[in-house]
Amino acid sequence: MNIINSDMVSPVYDVFWDEVSSVVKDAGPRNILILVNTFAPGGNEELQLRKMLDACKLPPEEYNIIQLESGRQVAWHQLRERLDPKVVFLIGILPAQLGISSLFMLNAPNRFNDRIWLATLSLAELEQNAEAKKQLWVNGMKPIFVDGLLHK
C-alpha cells in the first residue's frame, strides 16, 4: 500500500502505517515492553534474557517480549497505543526501526514520549562484551527495575 505518493517521502516509510497485530499477537497492556531480535527458543540468547529478567525480579505479568526479525520495522505509535508501556527496553533494536528519529544513550535510562527507554546491544553482542553487560546492569536495569525508577 502506498500511503504517501511523493518523490520526497519514500514508500519504505509506508510500513509505519501497517497494522501491528501480526507482531504483538495477543499481547495486551503491561508496564514493560521488551523489543528484542528474534532468537531460537531454548537457545543461549533466550537463557540470557531470562537471567537478565530474573535478576530484576520481574514477574512475567509485568512485561511483554516482542521479537522482531533483523531489520524489521514496526510503528512505535501503534505499539504505544496497543501495549501502553511505561518502560521500553530495546535489546539490539534501533529506534529507527520503530519510526523514531532520536538517539538514545546506550545502557542508561532515556526519557522519550512520556516513557522511560533503555537501549542496549543485541543479546549476542552483550554475551561478547562483559563491560557493556555491566554498564547495562549498573546504569540501566538496576535503577529502572530494581531501584524503582519505573514507579517514579
Side-chain angles (χ1 to χ4, degrees):
M1 152 175 44
N2 188 358
I3 302 283
I4 302 171
N5 194 7
S6 164
D7 292 336
M8 294 187 64
V9 179
S10 169
V12 301
Y13 296 107
D14 289 348
V15 70
F16 295 117
W17 281 266
D18 289 348
E19 174 59 38
V20 296
S21 295
S22 65
V23 174
V24 300
K25 298 177 178 53
D26 61 349
R30 295 197 175 163
N31 283 335
I32 303 164
L33 172 60
I34 301 166
L35 294 169
V36 61
N37 290 315
T38 304
F39 52 80
N44 288 341
E45 290 175 330
E46 181 179 26
L47 181 61
Q48 182 178 356
L49 180 58
R50 295 286 168 212
K51 285 181 182 178
M52 291 165 62
L53 299 175
D54 288 347
C56 296
K57 296 180 176 49
L58 292 174
E61 59 273 4
E62 188 82 8
Y63 57 82
N64 284 310
I65 298 174
I66 305 292
Q67 296 183 42
L68 297 177
E69 297 92 24
S70 181
R72 170 85 188 262
Q73 295 181 310
V74 63
W76 159 243
H77 68 94
Q78 290 193 37
L79 293 173
R80 180 191 63 218
E81 297 305 315
R82 177 102 177 243
L83 303 175
D84 193 29
K86 291 183 174 91
V87 174
V88 182
F89 190 4
L90 302 176
I91 304 174
I93 303 295
L94 299 174
Q97 288 177 250
L98 306 176
I100 297 172
S101 296
S102 182
L103 294 175
F104 295 143
M105 289 185 304
L106 283 181
N107 305 323
N110 298 271
R111 298 223 181 240
F112 177 80
N113 199 215
D114 296 323
R115 275 127 181 107
I116 299 169
W117 294 71
L118 178 58
T120 192
L121 305 171
S122 70
L123 291 170
E125 291 170 318
L126 285 173
E127 188 64 36
Q128 302 291 321
N129 190 334
E131 184 59 31
K133 195 186 295 189
K134 179 181 176 185
Q135 287 176 2
L136 175 61
W137 173 253
V138 172
N139 299 331
M141 293 176 70
K142 186 175 182 292
I144 294 171
F145 303 123
V146 177
D147 297 341
L149 186 60
L150 169 62
H151 301 293
K152 289 182 181 177

